[in-house]
Amino acid sequence: MKAKRTFIKMEILQLIQSYRFCIHLLFIPLLIFAVEYGGLFILCVPIFGYLLIPFTDLLLKRYEFNNIWKSEVKECFALKLIQMWPFIQLILIIYCIHRVSNSATILPAEFVGIAAVTGIITGSIGITFAHELMHKKSYQERWLADILMGLVLYGHFRSEHMLIHHRYVGTPRDAATAKFNENFFKFFLRVIPSCFLSAWNEEKTRLNKKGLKIYSLKNPFWRYLCLALLFTVIALALGGALGVLFFVIQAFVAIVHLELANYIEHYGLRRKPINTDRYESTKTHHSWNSSEKASNWLLINLQLHSDHHAKSDKSFTELQDHPDEQAPQLPFGYPVMILLSLIPPIWFKIMNPRVAAWEKRFYQIC
């Protein structure tokens, strides 16, 4: 009997291990419950993402250093699921807009709440998957990334992230690197216009080098604009003005989640200048790392950000953890850090000493 229980336990653990990068699928029924039943069911999405996942992090051991998750994962299934997510997300948004905008009984607070929790999903999952896809070499996968970013009205993120952030992270030229003692709200107001303008200017420069004008169809901003307009028109057709309002609210919440992640990933870290125009190459110690298991499973290893910036062409299944000597460590996973970043005094109390310790360890200036 004991051997049978042990066998069943091992089978369950193996199942979880095999499909750990698919736990985001639980958001789908939770969102449907929120739409169909309203009220407290709306809280199921944030409870799962911001309470249950961190609690599971506490129960599980952290990743081991330099642990690679390759063939043991159902990698093909996980990758296919990521490629399918733009269409799954589009269907979810269409369903939400149709149901919510045409409901005669929904309360204003429920309308806003459902739009907000939809944005939690499109921001934490949709944009995370878009980030994975835009780093692929395949033209089709980058198109899928553009679809996901178009669904949150933030298409220029691909240009900004690929052409600027990875090149200039930790330097004054990267608006997405949060400055030391800069709270999230100041960061957000600064990064929204700065990233758009820097992405536009970088694409303009790239086109000029090819002898093309900014209005050339080779400018990806036309694709970003067309996708945003297309999805806005779909929202209008489905739910009229309320449909557009729902779509805009979920997009705003998704963008906030993206910039919260940006804020957390590089807060206070900087690359050492070599001369007036050059900086040291990007290393693992220029990004905050978090090896919490459950939140990494949910966010397909996005929290192993140090390794991602050290070698950005790695798939999420290949990313490695790094010890304290190689990368600065966050005290918690992203779900908890996101909540803490919204309370600046607590954030500074927790993170500023860690930044000072990082400076002392790597640059010996404190």
Side-chain angles (χ1 to χ4, degrees), residues 239-252:
L242 284 178
V244 174
L245 178 61
F246 184 99
F247 185 62
V248 170
I249 291 173
Q250 71 81 27
F252 175 77

Side-chain angles (χ1 to χ4, degrees), residues 326-341:
Q326 298 174 4
Q329 305 293 318
L330 292 171
F332 309 103
Y334 281 15
V336 175
M337 298 307 297
I338 281 175
L339 296 178
L340 294 176
S341 68

Side-chain angles (χ1 to χ4, degrees), residues 25 48 77 103 121 154 198 210 231 254 257-258 270 281 296:
L25 291 175
F48 173 69
F77 178 73
S103 172
I121 298 171
Y154 215 57
S198 57
K210 295 181 178 181
F231 296 135
H257 275 74
L258 166 61
R270 60 185 180 84
S281 59
N296 266 308

Side-chain angles (χ1 to χ4, degrees), residues 76-363:
C76 182
F77 178 73
L79 291 173
K80 290 296 182 183
L81 198 55
I82 290 172
Q83 293 167 353
M84 290 169 56
W85 189 256
F87 309 104
I88 295 173
Q89 183 166 301
L90 176 59
I91 291 170
L92 282 175
I93 291 175
I94 288 174
Y95 158 74
C96 289
I97 291 175
H98 175 72
R99 292 287 291 148
V100 172
S101 300
N102 296 289
S103 172
T105 59
I106 190 169
L107 299 173
E110 290 178 318
F111 178 92
V112 174
I114 295 171
V117 299
T118 303
I120 291 175
I121 298 171
T122 58
S124 61
I125 305 303
I127 294 179
T128 298
F129 287 5
H131 172 259
E132 177 71 17
L133 291 166
M134 69 180 60
H135 277 281
K136 302 294 186 183
K137 294 180 180 179
S138 163
Y139 181 76
Q140 289 80 9
E141 286 177 300
R142 293 192 175 193
W143 247 105
L144 292 175
D146 287 342
I147 291 172
L148 283 170
M149 297 312 300
L151 284 168
V152 295
L153 305 175
Y154 215 57
H156 67 278
F157 173 73
R158 180 164 73 85
S159 292
E160 188 278 331
H161 185 79
M162 301 298 291
L163 301 179
I164 299 168
H165 178 63
H166 271 272
R167 189 187 307 176
Y168 300 115
V169 63
T171 75
R173 290 195 63 177
D174 178 43
T177 298
K179 302 173 184 177
F180 183 71
N181 258 345
E182 180 181 35
N183 68 50
F184 169 71
F185 305 101
K186 289 183 179 179
F187 169 80
F188 185 75
L189 293 175
R190 175 177 64 80
V191 78
I192 293 296
S194 297
C195 283
F196 180 88
L197 291 173
S198 57
W200 174 267
N201 290 331
E202 193 68 24
E203 290 290 0
K204 182 179 179 181
T205 300
R206 188 178 63 84
L207 290 169
N208 287 340
K209 288 179 179 178
K210 295 181 178 181
L212 300 172
K213 300 296 184 182
I214 196 68
Y215 49 77
S216 166
L217 293 179
K218 296 289 186 179
N219 184 350
F221 270 77
W222 294 118
R223 180 160 70 246
Y224 307 153
L225 177 62
C226 287
L227 285 170
L229 288 175
L230 171 64
F231 296 135
T232 304
V233 169
I234 291 174
L236 181 65
L238 289 168
L242 284 178
V244 174
L245 178 61
F246 184 99
F247 185 62
V248 170
I249 291 173
Q250 71 81 27
F252 175 77
V253 173
I255 291 167
V256 169
H257 275 74
L258 166 61
E259 298 305 347
L260 280 164
N262 273 335
Y263 179 77
I264 291 165
E265 287 162 352
H266 305 284
Y267 172 76
L269 306 183
R270 60 185 180 84
R271 283 156 61 193
K272 188 176 181 179
I274 297 174
N275 54 42
T276 54
D277 299 318
R278 294 180 58 212
Y279 292 82
E280 62 178 327
S281 59
T282 306
K283 303 292 185 183
T284 55
H285 61 265
H286 294 126
S287 306
W288 290 101
N289 190 71
S290 177
S291 54
E292 304 288 351
K293 276 188 178 177
S295 45
N296 266 308
W297 296 346
L298 181 68
L299 301 174
I300 56 169
N301 282 343
L302 180 67
Q303 299 175 152
L304 302 183
H305 211 63
S306 296
D307 201 44
H308 170 67
H309 268 275
K311 196 169 183 181
S312 61
D313 61 347
K314 280 187 175 183
S315 170
F316 72 94
T317 57
E318 300 172 318
L319 292 174
Q320 300 177 351
D321 190 23
H322 291 276
D324 294 356
E325 296 75 22
Q326 298 174 4
Q329 305 293 318
L330 292 171
F332 309 103
Y334 281 15
V336 175
M337 298 307 297
I338 281 175
L339 296 178
L340 294 176
S341 68
L342 295 173
I343 312 172
I346 297 178
W347 173 264
F348 293 146
K349 185 174 182 179
I350 292 173
M351 291 303 297
N352 283 5
R354 284 176 166 78
V355 175
W358 174 88
E359 290 271 4
K360 186 174 182 180
R361 168 172 286 175
F362 292 101
Y363 294 138

